[in-house]
Amino acid sequence: MNNSEPLTNRSPETFTGLRLAEPAKTAAGITAVVSSFRHILGGTNFWRGNKALLKLNQKDGFDCPSCAWPDPDGARSLVAEYCESGAKAVADEVMTSHTASPVLFQRYSVAELSGKSEYWLGQQGRLTHPMIRRPGGTHYEKISWADAFQFIGQSLNGLASPNEAVFYTSGRTSNEAAFLYQLFVRAYGTNNLPDCSNMCHESTTEAMTETLGLGKASVKLDDFEKAEVIVIMGQNPGTNAPRMLTALEAGKRNGAKIIAINPLIETGLLAFRNPQGVHDLLTGGTDLSDLYLQLRTNTDMQLLKALMKLLLDAEAERPGEVLDQEFIAQKTTGFSTLKDDLARYSLDDLSAQCGVSLDQLRAAADLLARHKRIIFCWAMGLTQHKNAVQGIRDIVNVLLLKGSIGIPGAGACPVRGHSNVQGDRTMGIYEKPKPAFLDQLKEVFGFEPPREPGFSTVEAVQAMHSGQARVFFGLGGNFASAVSDTDFTAEALRRCELTVQVSTKLNRSHLVTGKTALILPCLGRSDEDHQASGEQFVTMENTTGVVHQSNGALKPPSEHLLSEPAILAGLAKATLGANTPVVWDELVGNYDRIRDLIEKTLQGFENYNERVRQPGGFYLPNATRQGQFGTPDKKAKFTINEPDVWQLAEGEFLLMTVRSHDQFNTTVYGLNDRYRGVFNERRVLFMNAADIQAAGLQAYQVVDLHSHYPDASGVPQRRTARRFIVVPYNIPTRCLAAYFPETNPLIPIDQYAERSQTPISKSVRVTVAGLRTAEGQAEVAQVILE
């Protein structure tokens, strides 16, 4: 297949054999254990796989390459401190049955590889050698590390301005690598440091920084055991953060009430069978949600406003018993304005708009009214809407009404996705660095860093597409698949003079390339890392702000791999030459020296090397956790937020993207979504049965999805995601769900959340077109019902 062909054309003409079953009622359990070992043993031998699992998330082991959920505090974790998703991520990394060696690239041209699925690409195993695709070349070929660094350095130095280069970061990158990366990039002369946060929790950072002064979770892991009410919004922990279920179970057993708020009924919010708990295995597990509010897509703000109105009503009936008036008076601003604004709304209207009955809303509000130790958790179900920042600000409003910030068992808990995405931002991976950070870089390293803001992810794609940026360097991730507007993003990458990807495994971004393309294979999280001074470890920051070690435990799959710090040092030496702020080889030879520089540059890292060697690491400062706020006036801020009232045209639906149970971000481990009862296929469209009938469709009919957003001149542009199988499902009417990233082609690059520029992946206006056979009959897929 031609590499210049639009990626939206790369959908199957035939399907893999869809099987459907009833959605699961309980998450985890023995089935999850069996699945974990099946994935591990499917790609490597027993001893290597078992060693990897025993070291995963241990104090002397390596950090999970998937989610950022925290480990328990203390000297030692459980023997098996991992979940099914973590086991799949490790299995994907430690695979030895296949390697993506130069032989693979000799066998397959770039065009042939481009015709393969994301799943097939990942199953080819770990990359083993640096590879280059030269201008006009049909295949990748080997290149030495020295030649690769020299080529990149010459390309960067040949640009008219450093701002013509884009330096992207994935959340997999360690603190040490991230710090070196941003140091090199700023010494080179640009702040073009977009990262994966731009596509997921940037809305959280914007909302919480404005209202609380810090864009990070205000809770610790043990707060879940102390909470009285836990609210989970727009998150599917059973698939995306399964270790969180243990924390929910602990809270539940201590008497906490759990409110789940989601357009889909997700198994991981219903019940949990702890595979390490004899009690759970014998009794069938722990029921989790006491109240499940199945709202319409992107009506979270209506629901939150209804809850706030009901809390105000309860306070009027029982003055001083519902709201924390002392906290509001002493530590917040804007309460009276919020109260006046809420008076504009009708409870009946809010209930009708969100699709949740008044009785359910009153039941939820009553739980909040009677308790103070309340935790709100959320993820991308809230962050990926046009009004995402406002929605998260309304979560903060609820917490401030109750005074549920800065006390044990209460607070805000945005659940981060990738395992060090939060740490990368702490290290300075940000296109809009604060002046104080840049001032400190200048003081420590003796050069004047650039002050002009750089490109976000959206802006980087637009700059590459317009020719404003000509070189793309990706430190991890799968940029071509992760970013919205698939064809536009692909064309942007193809217009570059050079694209470079630092990766562990083959993915789509290696096949959507500039005129010249380089693949630089790096060590994975599980790999031993030996440098001049001996074996090294790296550090990570988890969701609750704990910085801890990660020690690779396995022999790397190839002697030709370099660590990320070593790759960045080679790049910096080749690019900066004598104009360098540090001796790069000394830093790579001993990562303690990198951490010494981090300590000098960033607050909260005092005695970094000493404290991170303590079991479990250390907590970074978190004023919000102490009830102190880093806003300009040192007070938390109530805000006024306007919900969108969706007016869908006839035949129009609101699509939300979701991940399957065999998936982490763009990495596809398999073709099953066990909890939702979907097997052996990813191109499915979850649709309400009444909507299927009203649209003149049939169950299991093959359809195309279209969006019709206008271009810059206001002319609607039809975008298409091809060939999905309609599956009747329990989802609110006029709402649809389908898997990411297959639906990314539907989302224009300029459709994003206000302020944060996070893509609107959870609320995409679409139409559905049923396909027909050559004989004019509805095309219906063969489906096995179990």
Side-chain angles (χ1 to χ4, degrees):
M1 186 172 289
N2 191 318
N3 183 47
S4 64
E5 185 177 343
L7 295 190
T8 48
N9 289 344
R10 300 165 191 238
S11 52
E13 295 306 315
T14 58
F15 296 98
T16 51
L18 174 62
R19 293 187 294 112
L20 295 174
E22 286 294 316
K25 303 298 184 185
T26 304
I30 292 297
T31 305
V33 175
V34 172
S35 174
S36 298
F37 279 96
R38 177 173 57 82
H39 277 272
I40 281 285
L41 299 180
T44 190
N45 62 64
F46 172 82
W47 302 109
R48 181 177 171 88
N50 190 56
K51 182 178 181 180
L53 290 180
L54 289 175
K55 287 292 185 180
L56 178 57
N57 292 324
Q58 296 299 318
K59 306 303 182 185
D60 61 346
F62 60 92
D63 205 40
C64 181
S66 58
C67 84
W69 190 252
D71 303 329
D73 291 339
R76 183 171 175 79
S77 299
L78 298 171
V79 172
E81 184 56 56
Y82 58 84
C83 63
E84 181 183 358
S85 294
K88 290 174 182 175
V90 170
D92 193 61
E93 183 171 286
V94 305
M95 179 189 297
T96 55
S97 57
H98 298 85
T99 57
S101 71
V103 174
L104 177 75
F105 294 98
Q106 291 171 352
R107 179 180 179 184
Y108 294 102
S109 69
V110 171
E112 289 170 329
L113 290 171
S114 297
K116 303 295 186 181
S117 70
E118 205 76 62
Y119 174 62
W120 186 94
L121 295 175
Q123 290 302 300
Q124 303 315 299
R126 290 282 297 276
L127 296 160
T128 62
H129 292 72
M131 306 295 294
I132 186 170
R133 184 193 184 198
R134 302 185 188 278
T138 59
H139 291 68
Y140 275 99
E141 57 191 68
K142 278 198 301 184
I143 185 174
S144 70
W145 280 107
D147 288 345
F149 291 140
Q150 182 182 26
F151 187 90
I152 299 169
Q154 289 175 346
S155 298
L156 291 174
N157 288 327
L159 297 175
S161 164
N163 290 325
E164 292 185 345
V166 171
F167 299 91
Y168 174 76
T169 314
S170 159
R172 174 179 61 80
T173 305
S174 68
N175 285 343
E176 290 75 12
F179 187 79
L180 289 187
Y181 194 35
Q182 67 81 29
L183 180 63
F184 156 66
V185 170
R186 293 191 167 103
Y188 172 63
T190 184
N191 282 315
N192 287 346
L193 282 160
D195 70 336
C196 58
S197 283
N198 296 154
M199 293 181 280
C200 56
H201 267 290
E202 200 69 63
S203 300
T204 294
T205 300
E206 287 283 339
M208 291 183 64
T209 301
E210 177 191 2
T211 57
L212 301 176
L214 183 67
K216 298 183 180 183
S218 68
V219 300
K220 294 183 177 181
L221 183 59
D222 64 5
D223 282 320
F224 284 84
E225 299 180 22
K226 304 169 185 175
E228 295 172 313
V229 179
I230 302 170
V231 184
I232 306 167
M233 300 187 69
Q235 188 201 0
N236 177 17
T239 288
N240 298 324
R243 287 198 298 150
M244 181 180 173
L245 299 179
T246 304
L248 297 178
E249 179 188 48
K252 187 73 175 179
R253 289 185 175 176
N254 286 341
K257 301 296 184 181
I258 295 178
I259 304 172
I261 303 172
N262 202 303
L264 295 176
I265 303 297
E266 301 287 17
T267 301
L269 294 171
L270 296 176
F272 172 53
R273 183 175 295 177
N274 191 331
Q276 298 191 62
V278 176
H279 176 272
D280 277 15
L281 296 179
L282 293 177
T283 63
T286 302
D287 291 335
L288 293 179
S289 295
D290 297 274
L291 191 60
Y292 206 122
L293 308 182
Q294 189 179 15
L295 79 174
R296 293 193 177 98
T297 299
N298 192 218
T299 58
D300 309 88
M301 291 174 66
Q302 283 90 334
L303 186 147
L304 289 166
K305 289 186 185 302
L307 295 180
M308 286 189 279
K309 284 182 68 69
L310 290 167
L311 288 175
L312 290 174
D313 290 345
E315 174 69 11
E317 295 174 2
R318 307 191 303 275
E321 296 182 17
V322 177
L323 306 187
D324 190 332
Q325 297 287 2
E326 181 179 358
F327 175 88
I328 291 171
Q330 294 183 0
K331 294 198 171 186
T332 73
T333 61
F335 170 67
S336 61
T337 304
L338 174 70
K339 186 176 179 180
D340 291 343
D341 181 72
L342 289 171
R344 298 190 297 120
Y345 297 94
S346 156
L347 277 175
D348 288 334
D349 288 346
L350 294 172
S351 171
Q353 289 166 18
C354 71
V356 177
S357 71
L358 282 173
D359 286 344
Q360 286 184 302
L361 291 171
R362 289 192 175 100
D366 181 62
L367 286 175
L368 299 178
R370 291 187 291 107
H371 299 96
K372 184 178 178 67
R373 297 197 303 276
I374 301 166
I375 294 175
F376 267 81
C377 306
W378 70 92
M380 286 186 287
L382 259 71
T383 67
Q384 292 184 325
H385 302 285
K386 190 175 183 64
N387 59 358
V389 174
Q390 294 192 68
I392 296 164
R393 294 194 313 189
D394 264 347
I395 289 178
V396 174
N397 282 339
V398 176
L399 290 170
L400 295 182
L401 287 175
K402 293 295 299 179
S404 300
I405 290 278
I407 61 173
C413 184
V415 180
R416 304 284 177 176
H418 225 147
S419 61
N420 199 43
V421 63
Q422 188 164 293
D424 290 348
R425 183 59 60 86
T426 301
M427 292 296 107
I429 300 295
Y430 191 31
E431 72 276 8
K432 298 181 290 186
K434 294 181 179 180
F437 173 75
L438 298 177
D439 291 343
Q440 193 64 17
L441 280 183
K442 180 178 179 179
E443 180 175 335
V444 174
F445 297 102
F447 72 93
E448 180 61 57
R451 302 282 170 164
E452 180 184 356
F455 296 137
S456 67
T457 294
V458 165
E459 293 162 344
V461 172
Q462 292 170 331
M464 290 186 288
H465 197 275
S466 68
Q468 189 179 351
R470 298 167 53 204
V471 171
F472 176 86
F473 188 99
L475 187 59
N478 183 1
F479 192 84
S481 288
V483 181
S484 59
D485 209 341
T486 305
D487 289 341
F488 186 90
T489 299
E491 182 59 28
L493 290 167
R494 292 183 183 121
R495 292 183 181 185
C496 289
E497 295 295 323
L498 172 65
T499 51
V500 183
Q501 307 287 346
V502 178
S503 308
T504 57
K505 300 190 73 176
L506 188 62
N507 65 48
R508 185 68 56 200
S509 296
H510 304 132
L511 310 174
V512 183
T513 73
K515 293 178 182 177
T516 302
L518 282 159
I519 300 173
L520 305 182
C522 66
L523 296 177
R525 195 70 64 76
S526 60
D527 295 330
E528 295 174 343
D529 184 355
H530 294 277
Q531 302 296 339
S533 65
E535 190 169 349
Q536 306 296 312
F537 68 85
V538 293
T539 60
M540 313 289 166
E541 179 186 342
N542 64 31
T543 287
T544 57
V546 177
V547 179
H548 56 280
Q549 290 188 46
S550 179
N551 297 269
L554 304 179
K555 181 180 177 181
S558 169
E559 62 181 9
H560 301 287
L561 305 183
L562 294 182
S563 70
E564 287 181 327
I567 291 172
L568 295 169
L571 174 63
K573 289 189 296 179
T575 306
L576 301 178
N579 297 318
T580 181
V582 295
V583 180
W584 297 95
D585 288 340
E586 291 183 358
L587 300 179
V588 173
N590 186 340
Y591 294 175
D592 279 355
R593 296 184 179 180
I594 305 175
R595 289 185 282 271
D596 287 339
L597 294 178
I598 295 172
E599 179 181 334
K600 291 179 180 179
T601 308
L602 298 172
Q603 293 183 353
F605 286 86
E606 296 79 11
N607 302 315
Y608 192 177
N609 277 305
E610 177 183 344
R611 289 196 293 158
V612 83
R613 283 177 164 84
Q614 300 301 312
F618 61 91
Y619 282 92
L620 290 174
N622 189 311
T624 309
R625 190 174 290 152
Q626 309 303 321
Q628 305 298 319
F629 305 105
T631 56
D633 61 2
K634 306 302 179 186
K635 290 190 174 184
K637 182 180 179 181
F638 284 104
T639 54
I640 306 303
N641 306 292
E642 190 75 25
D644 289 331
V645 179
W646 288 97
Q647 301 292 337
L648 297 173
E650 184 178 354
E652 195 173 42
F653 299 87
L654 207 57
L655 170 72
M656 60 182 286
T657 66
V658 296
R659 273 71 168 164
S660 81
H661 197 63
D662 271 0
Q663 174 181 5
F664 179 74
N665 291 346
T666 60
T667 303
V668 177
Y669 306 127
L671 300 178
N672 298 334
D673 193 1
R674 189 174 77 247
Y675 290 164
R676 297 190 182 108
V678 176
F679 299 89
N680 207 37
E681 183 56 67
R682 287 184 53 82
R683 301 190 75 85
V684 300
L685 179 68
F686 298 105
M687 193 171 186
N688 186 286
D691 285 336
I692 296 174
Q693 183 177 7
L697 301 172
Q698 301 180 32
Y700 320 123
Q701 187 171 351
V702 181
V703 299
D704 285 347
L705 301 177
H706 303 295
S707 68
H708 308 270
Y709 291 94
D711 61 15
S713 61
V715 178
Q717 300 294 309
R718 191 172 85 163
R719 289 172 169 80
T720 302
R722 297 181 59 228
R723 301 186 60 78
F724 289 75
I725 302 172
V726 172
V727 173
Y729 205 75
N730 181 5
I731 187 172
T733 55
R734 307 298 292 276
C735 300
L736 307 172
Y739 297 127
F740 162 95
E742 284 84 349
T743 45
N744 272 354
L746 298 168
I747 308 167
I749 195 69
D750 60 358
Q751 291 295 317
Y752 46 70
E754 296 165 350
R755 292 179 50 183
S756 70
Q757 295 189 344
T758 301
I760 58 162
S761 303
K762 295 297 186 288
S763 49
V764 188
R765 288 178 180 265
V766 299
T767 57
V768 181
L771 301 184
R772 296 190 173 275
T773 65
E775 294 76 25
Q777 302 297 314
E779 182 182 353
V780 179
Q782 294 292 320
V783 176
I784 299 174
L785 302 179
E786 298 181 348

